[in-house]
Amino acid sequence: MPLWPSPISTTDVASSGLRLAWPSVVGDEVWWTEDRPDEGGRSTIVHRAADGTRTSLLPAPWNARSRVHEYGGQPYLVTPRGVVFVNFDDQRLYLATSGEPTPLTPDDGSRYADLHLGEGHLWCVRERHDGKVTRSIVSVPLEGGEPRELVTGSDFYAFPTLSPDGLHLAYICWNHPRMPWNGTELRVTRLADGNSWTVKGGSTESVLAPQWKDDSHLYVVSDWSGWWNLYQIGLYGTSSQALHPAEEEFAWPLWQLGGRPYLVLADGRLAVLHGQGDLRLGILDPETGELRDLDVPYSGWDPALSADGATLVGVAYGAAIPRSIARLDTVTGRVEGLRRDIGELPDVAYLPSAEPVEFLSEFGRHVHAFLYRPANPEATAEGPAPYVVFVHGGPTGHSNSALDLEKAFFTSRGIGVIDVNYGGSTGYGRAYRDRLRGQWGVVDVEDTVAAAEWLAAEGLADPARIAVRGGSAGGWTVMAACCRSSVFAGGVSYYGVSALAALNAATHDFESRYTEWLVGPEDPALYASREPLALADGVTCPMLLLQGLDDPVVPPSQSSAFADALSERGVACTYLSFEGESHGFRRMETRTAALAAELAFYQQVFGMY
């Protein structure tokens, strides 16, 4: 079968990855972050003035990116004195005005994230690496100086939020071995005397995103019911009330700090994101519980909203609309896109539509996925097509229906894609997430294999030409699936996990105990029954492994050891490493080379020419 001609090049895909994120609005002005793939992948802050003029606030080599938890989060805050941001190289807070940014915090290796403004200070999470990793909530004077430590004692903190009267600080905290989607606490500290108490949450309840309704009541998201729903609760944990009970999610897992999945508008209503799978935008009346979805052209939103008065901004997307900075007037309903992730789209005929599908996996489990059929106006298929099963990372993550030029790169060439939200994924309630508890390397693999078998059974895919690809935790699933099943013609792993004990010993603090929940306490026999490195004898298909050499989350040894194991067994394996790349490729040259290598791999294993 010939490879279809496509107008979408590797450079088109690499240059489209602007990673638009973290929008903020004040009056008619809007700010956000975006990457510069052609400048080493650094991240800048873009300002859109009231007249529509766009300006990058940070010239090279400044790089607005936090390393708290290694995944960071919103790296800046708009203040009356200018924009405060975290610089990637030294992790200090800086103030950007009209001249050279000036430092606000000492050069002591501390990292900062989750920035909020109150009482003339920045309230934020500080992470210190002094032999042991510790975190606290601190306040930093806007004019700069030594941070003042306010809350300590827990392993992790998020959402420091000052009450309107300035007397109380609300925040989320949790301890190892829990992850924030397993169990967290909403706590409040009285700033006058430092006394603290728990308002909601615990070891089996995930509470997120507190915001003050007034001086004595809070809004908070909790999955107490099995779904992340919104609640109103008193300052001391009394009078808890569900605002709109539904089998929908009103929040997202806390991989990054600083995002707000709902906002209190000027008139007291709440702008909320909710849904199963993709999150829709609606307006919730907290007094009546009425929820009305807004008529917008977007099918999904990132859980990071900002509002000023009746104006709301966010990152939105659709199946035919690139990820965009969108501004919405919640009174008039007027919507405008301010910036798109993709500058110039190819003809829509080359873009696949995202079809939500469900299929059955082992023991009758229902599995969610998005199907992308091959699409090209200049070519037609003869018989079932080759397909690639995409496996997202996390593994507590979610694949959405956003227009993705990378998927179109393959589908426009005659290679279909199915993007699987295997058991453990977010978006379908806590029970769906908990399917992976103690079952990593089993349920994710079974659901991924089931996707390939469903494609073949439906006559969509040629059963001899189905490959699998994924990154990070998705790379683990790719390798494990190729070890445990012969359904795949090839596997592509981006910075994947291959050995658990080695990962536990080398990975960063945030995920250092995650494996206990995903697999179980460290046990050589248990680990050997799950990890790809111990099961490499089962691999019979070719593999392509890609790895950044500066990865602090999944060390390069994870990919290189698996590549060596396959080579020793005579299995065809290509290992490509990239200097200067971390967990997730950012540089244009890297992303271009990686995508070209992946396409060449599929051409080989699918017999396309």
Side-chain angles (χ1 to χ4, degrees):
M1 172 186 172
L3 195 70
W4 291 352
S6 170
I8 305 171
S9 69
T10 56
T11 302
D12 292 332
V13 177
S15 62
S16 71
L18 299 181
R19 297 178 191 253
L20 301 176
W22 312 117
S24 299
V25 59
V26 177
D28 293 328
E29 298 178 85
V30 180
W31 295 257
W32 63 84
T33 62
E34 63 179 61
D35 280 7
R36 294 286 189 261
D38 57 347
E39 296 180 24
R42 75 180 187 93
S43 181
T44 189
I45 301 166
V46 175
H47 172 232
R48 187 184 190 274
D51 64 2
T53 304
R54 272 201 323 258
T55 307
S56 171
L57 298 184
L58 303 179
W62 294 100
N63 187 356
R65 187 173 156 207
S66 170
R67 287 193 60 184
V68 171
H69 298 179
E70 296 300 347
Y71 294 108
Q74 180 157 351
Y76 76 96
L77 182 69
V78 179
T79 79
R81 295 191 65 226
V83 175
V84 175
F85 72 97
V86 182
N87 185 49
F88 181 72
D89 286 346
D90 57 14
Q91 290 296 291
R92 299 172 74 183
L93 291 176
Y94 286 80
L95 179 67
T97 53
S98 56
E100 187 78 359
T102 57
L104 298 181
T105 52
D107 188 10
D108 60 3
S110 296
R111 305 176 181 184
Y112 299 89
D114 223 340
L115 312 178
H116 301 270
L117 185 65
E119 302 292 304
H121 286 71
L122 298 167
W123 305 76
C124 54
V125 175
R126 180 177 68 180
E127 180 179 279
R128 309 193 80 165
H129 293 248
D130 298 324
K132 177 185 177 183
V133 181
T134 59
R135 297 172 188 88
S136 60
I137 296 177
V138 300
S139 68
V140 180
L142 263 181
E143 64 272 11
E146 187 69 33
R148 182 165 68 96
E149 203 165 62
L150 301 169
V151 181
T152 63
S154 293
D155 292 331
F156 301 96
Y157 294 97
F159 299 108
T161 308
L162 193 65
S163 62
D165 58 14
L167 299 180
H168 297 95
L169 182 70
Y171 52 91
I172 300 296
C173 60
W174 68 98
N175 291 310
H176 282 306
R178 284 176 279 152
M179 300 298 283
W181 42 88
N182 302 143
T184 61
E185 296 179 18
L186 166 60
R187 291 183 63 81
V188 169
T189 293
R190 187 164 50 235
L191 294 174
D193 56 17
N195 286 338
S196 302
W197 57 91
T198 298
V199 176
K200 190 167 177 57
S203 61
T204 58
E205 178 184 2
S206 173
V207 291
L208 301 169
Q211 297 197 51
W212 293 91
K213 176 184 180 182
D214 51 41
D215 292 333
S216 56
H217 297 86
L218 292 129
Y219 296 122
V220 68
V221 175
S222 166
D223 71 351
W224 175 84
S225 69
W227 297 82
W228 272 316
N229 279 194
L230 265 166
Y231 293 80
Q232 178 182 307
I233 194 165
L235 176 60
Y236 294 98
T238 57
S239 305
S240 177
Q241 174 189 355
L243 299 183
H244 185 86
E247 290 189 348
E248 294 186 329
E249 305 282 39
F250 284 73
W252 225 235
L254 196 63
W255 281 105
Q256 293 185 301
L257 301 178
R260 293 287 183 177
Y262 71 96
L263 295 169
V264 183
L265 299 174
D267 60 6
R269 296 179 303 162
L270 306 180
V272 302
L273 299 176
H274 69 106
Q276 288 193 31
D278 293 339
L279 299 180
R280 306 184 306 277
L281 178 63
I283 300 295
L284 172 63
D285 185 332
E287 303 303 322
T288 66
E290 180 185 359
L291 175 58
R292 175 179 58 88
D293 282 346
L294 295 175
D295 184 14
V296 295
Y298 307 106
S299 59
W301 296 71
D302 288 357
L305 301 174
S306 175
D308 185 19
T311 302
L312 180 146
V313 296
V315 179
Y317 57 82
I321 304 174
R323 288 169 56 83
S324 305
I325 303 294
R327 178 166 58 186
L328 170 71
D329 187 319
T330 57
V331 174
T332 66
R334 181 172 182 266
V335 185
E336 55 182 327
L338 305 182
R339 176 72 158 154
R340 303 195 314 177
D341 189 52
I342 303 171
E344 185 175 343
L345 283 174
D347 188 307
V348 69
Y350 291 96
L351 302 177
S353 60
E355 302 175 40
V357 298
E358 284 188 45
F359 51 86
L360 296 180
S361 184
E362 295 291 316
F363 309 108
R365 292 192 306 267
H366 285 263
V367 181
H368 299 272
F370 289 103
L371 177 71
Y372 300 84
R373 302 172 191 261
N376 188 314
E378 302 299 321
T380 56
E382 295 181 5
Y387 264 80
V388 180
V389 180
F390 275 40
V391 186
H392 67 69
T396 308
H398 175 77
S399 294
N400 58 42
S401 65
L403 171 61
D404 183 350
L405 209 57
E406 187 172 62
K407 292 187 179 75
F409 176 83
F410 294 117
T411 58
S412 63
R413 286 171 166 79
I415 301 171
V417 169
I418 187 169
D419 205 352
V420 183
N421 281 310
Y422 50 84
S425 301
T426 302
Y428 310 100
R430 179 150 189 155
Y432 199 88
R433 294 201 312 272
D434 282 352
R435 286 183 185 180
L436 209 57
R437 183 172 188 172
Q439 297 297 306
W440 196 35
V442 178
V443 165
D444 53 320
V445 169
E446 290 172 348
D447 291 357
T448 299
V449 170
E453 293 173 339
W454 178 82
L455 286 170
E458 292 292 310
L460 296 169
D462 179 347
R465 295 191 297 166
I466 302 175
V468 59
R469 66 100 82 166
S472 190
W476 153 281
T477 303
V478 166
M479 289 187 275
C482 291
C483 290
R484 298 164 67 99
S485 172
S486 59
V487 72
F488 297 110
V492 178
S493 168
Y494 283 79
Y495 31 87
V497 176
S498 69
L500 295 174
L503 179 72
N504 292 344
T507 197
H508 59 126
D509 183 67
F510 177 60
E511 293 183 88
S512 61
R513 305 283 296 277
Y514 195 14
T515 305
E516 293 180 27
W517 188 89
L518 289 169
V519 179
E522 189 161 328
D523 175 83
L526 175 62
Y527 280 13
S529 72
R530 299 285 182 85
E531 59 188 18
L533 191 59
L535 302 172
D537 281 343
V539 179
T540 58
C541 65
M543 298 202 69
L544 171 64
L545 310 179
L546 305 105
Q547 177 71 48
L549 294 179
D550 294 340
D551 193 333
V553 177
V554 179
S557 58
Q558 292 281 325
S559 292
S560 62
F562 192 67
D564 291 342
L566 295 186
S567 297
E568 289 173 5
R569 291 160 174 78
V571 177
C573 178
T574 300
Y575 171 62
L576 300 178
S577 61
F578 298 93
E579 294 277 359
E581 288 289 0
S582 181
H583 198 67
F585 297 160
R586 290 175 175 266
R587 298 179 178 182
M588 180 176 288
E589 58 270 27
T590 302
R591 296 170 63 184
T592 301
L595 190 58
E598 187 175 354
L599 177 62
F601 177 80
Y602 296 144
Q603 287 182 264
Q604 181 179 10
V605 299
F606 292 155
M608 305 177 81
Y609 52 88

